[in-house]
Amino acid sequence: MTMKLLTVLVFLVVCFAYYGFCEKLSYSGYKIIRTYPENEEQWEAVRSWEERGVDLFSGNREYANLLVPPQLLGKLNESMIENGIRTSVEVEDVKRIIDMEKVNEDKIVEGRLEWDRYYTLADVHQFLEDQAAIHNTIASTFVVGMTYEGRNMTAIRISKSGETRPAIWIDANIHAREWITGAVCTYIIDQLLNSNETEIQSWLDDYDFYILPITNPDGYEFTHTTDRFWRKSRSHNGSPVNCMGTDLNRNFDFHWMENGGASSNPCSNTFAGTAPFSDSEAASVRDFLTSISSRLVFYLSLHSAGQYILFPTGFDATPIPQYNTYMSIGNLAAEAHGVRHGTNFTAGSVYNLMYTATGSSMDWTWSALGANLTLTYELRDKGEFGHLLPPDQIYPSATEFMDGLKVIIAELSNGIPDVDP
Ligand code: 0X9
Ligand code: ZN
């Protein structure tokens, strides 16, 4: 009897310490609460809940969605009332929405995906291998680097030129739980290789593409097996209480850990890592981008959610020298994204539209490599489902994304000035 109890206890301890061994978290009783901070003080009050185990799920300085465990709902509510912060319930039953998500269970045949469901890491990698095999004269896969847990960061290159033309890099799922981003990314690859639209095909005559759909494979796998809301890498970072993972989008060397744009607490979802590029995933992206930097004209990073077209920087309010150029490209793209379904995208700098965020991949690429154009997207939606975007929104998200991408690549081809005219 005592032996049995001991076994259960040991299991529970191990389970809490490294919950990779546990069953999938159900998120039963969790709600997503939207808060509306109206000033810096209230924003800080909302952010302080991060340290108490509440996930700052999505949003910006004006509205912040919090993923709240049942045992903290009462306390959080009280504190919001005390601080005069308005709230609303965005998702009543998080578990119900997780249960609605459809993950593919069929075998991938000849690299065909359906954009009505989400795919596992193995499926996405299979898609890349199959597509590269089918289009072997212009496409091939390559490994950007290895993850902490030893997985491949598999990417695809599409080049008709023998890799001599201006280069476009696209990545997605730096943040593991942002499933829509990897899905849209595979659609971009599909369109480049399989669409018969002349405009899309003409891009392949002008540019070489390097596309990494799952930048954080360990985290992505973890969202499928254990914790749907995992965001970071899965590295051990020296936390005495066994918190794991680095926010890879805080681990790049651009104003690293300055200005409150990241956290030094390994338990935080915006933990910046133990040093710039301390995590192998970020370092591998850095090394690959550096290797093509003389040709790199466009860096594009896909995130969700919020429907933002973001440009540098996340450090402070100082406008970059190409601010007006970026703003006008962003506005043109936003218009195009809205044509099909009326989806409303907003363009602006990370700092202005979202919050202070330092050490991001985009800002580093912009500052260190001087790529002509660097954008980060926050794809659908604006909070209704957040990271649990229903599968029937994948195809609309992907097609409306392509509409704006056409505008952006047309602008890129016209030339991006280093400084606003
Ligand atoms: O906080 C982030 O890393 C991004 N938002 S998300 O909700 N997907 O986590 C925004 C990052 C914007 N990038 C820069 N700081 N440049
Ligand atoms: Zn993200």
Side-chain angles (χ1 to χ4, degrees):
M1 184 61 195
T2 34
M3 204 48 213
K4 217 173 177 183
L5 203 72
L6 200 70
T7 318
V8 171
L9 250 161
V10 167
F11 175 76
L12 279 177
V13 168
V14 173
C15 195
F16 273 117
Y18 308 98
Y19 65 124
F21 296 133
C22 302
E23 270 189 34
K24 198 166 176 177
L25 299 176
S26 84
Y27 284 101
S28 164
Y30 279 65
K31 290 185 197 304
I32 293 176
I33 305 290
R34 177 172 283 205
T35 63
Y36 303 87
E38 276 161 19
N39 51 47
E40 203 59 29
E41 212 172 46
Q42 292 189 343
W43 167 240
E44 286 308 325
V46 170
R47 278 190 60 180
S48 73
W49 279 87
E50 268 212 302
E51 305 291 321
R52 299 163 70 175
V54 172
D55 190 347
L56 185 62
F57 199 57
S58 57
N60 58 13
R61 283 190 206 89
E62 266 133 49
Y63 74 91
N65 296 323
L66 304 176
L67 177 64
V68 189
Q71 69 275 16
L72 289 179
L73 276 165
K75 280 210 174 74
L76 183 116
N77 226 351
E78 275 170 32
S79 140
M80 293 299 150
I81 292 170
E82 253 166 47
N83 286 289
I85 302 168
R86 210 155 51 81
T87 61
S88 61
V89 179
E90 196 67 20
V91 176
E92 190 60 58
D93 184 353
V94 170
K95 179 181 183 306
R96 195 180 66 85
I97 304 194
I98 294 183
D99 292 344
M100 269 163 41
E101 272 189 322
K102 185 173 162 199
V103 177
N104 179 58
E105 288 177 355
D106 306 336
K107 194 174 156 13
I108 307 294
V109 181
E110 290 171 11
R112 276 198 299 273
L113 300 187
E114 313 281 339
W115 285 274
D116 64 355
R117 66 193 71 179
Y118 292 104
Y119 288 90
T120 61
L121 178 71
D123 284 350
V124 173
H125 284 178
Q126 189 62 52
F127 163 79
L128 297 177
E129 297 301 342
D130 288 359
Q131 287 296 334
I134 293 166
H135 302 277
N136 60 30
T137 55
I138 58 167
S140 54
T141 61
F142 66 104
V143 175
V144 173
M146 298 290 265
T147 67
Y148 182 81
E149 292 177 335
R151 294 186 177 85
N152 285 343
M153 297 165 70
T154 306
I156 192 163
R157 71 165 75 72
I158 306 174
S159 170
K160 287 186 174 178
S161 72
E163 297 185 76
T164 55
R165 296 209 176 108
I168 294 177
W169 164 276
I170 304 173
D171 63 53
N173 270 120
I174 285 184
H175 289 145
R177 64 193 178 188
E178 297 167 10
W179 283 7
I180 184 60
T181 67
V184 167
C185 194
T186 56
Y187 186 76
I188 301 170
I189 295 167
D190 174 73
Q191 290 298 293
L192 290 170
L193 292 172
N194 301 314
S195 109
N196 44 29
E197 272 188 57
T198 46
E199 181 173 3
I200 294 176
Q201 287 312 308
S202 77
W203 298 345
L204 301 185
D205 296 324
D206 298 335
Y207 300 101
D208 293 335
F209 285 83
Y210 300 86
I211 306 180
L212 176 60
I214 310 289
T215 307
N216 176 6
D218 293 349
Y220 189 71
E221 188 64 17
F222 198 66
T223 60
H224 283 265
T225 58
T226 311
D227 181 356
R228 177 62 187 85
F229 293 128
W230 191 257
R231 166 182 165 103
K232 301 187 284 180
S233 70
R234 292 291 299 157
S235 57
H236 287 257
N237 50 36
S239 155
V241 287
N242 272 311
C243 286
M244 283 164 77
T246 293
D247 183 346
L248 297 173
N249 212 31
R250 299 291 184 280
N251 194 229
F252 285 68
D253 194 7
F254 178 79
H255 292 286
W256 185 81
M257 271 300 295
E258 291 175 31
N259 252 11
S263 172
S264 57
N265 174 359
C267 297
S268 162
N269 248 339
T270 54
F271 178 58
T274 49
F277 298 116
S278 57
D279 277 50
S280 64
E281 294 85 352
S284 300
V285 169
R286 169 200 62 195
D287 291 346
F288 182 77
L289 289 174
T290 305
S291 78
I292 59 164
S293 62
S294 64
R295 292 186 294 126
L296 185 65
V297 291
F298 181 20
Y299 172 88
L300 172 60
S301 194
L302 301 180
H303 285 255
S304 65
Q307 294 168 203
Y308 295 115
I309 303 170
L310 301 169
F311 52 82
T313 73
F315 173 63
D316 65 12
T318 314
I320 59 170
Q322 313 99 315
Y323 185 90
N324 294 332
T325 307
Y326 270 88
M327 209 54 198
S328 88
I329 295 174
N331 286 336
L332 286 172
E335 207 180 306
H337 289 307
V339 169
R340 265 172 216 264
H341 308 289
T343 311
N344 195 11
F345 277 85
T346 312
S349 83
V350 173
Y351 184 89
N352 288 348
L353 284 189
M354 295 197 75
Y355 36 61
T356 321
T358 54
S360 80
S361 63
M362 167 175 77
D363 286 353
W364 177 81
T365 306
W366 173 77
S367 74
L369 302 184
N372 305 41
L373 186 64
T374 56
L375 295 175
T376 296
Y377 263 78
E378 298 289 344
L379 299 174
R380 286 193 193 190
D381 54 14
K382 286 192 83 69
E384 190 184 356
F385 295 102
H387 301 305
L388 301 175
L389 196 70
D392 64 4
Q393 291 200 39
I394 299 173
Y395 186 74
S397 298
T399 45
E400 78 193 5
F401 182 79
M402 289 306 289
D403 295 337
L405 185 60
K406 287 177 183 162
V407 171
I408 293 169
I409 294 188
E411 291 295 316
L412 180 67
S413 301
N414 285 339
I416 312 282
D418 290 339
V419 178
D420 283 333

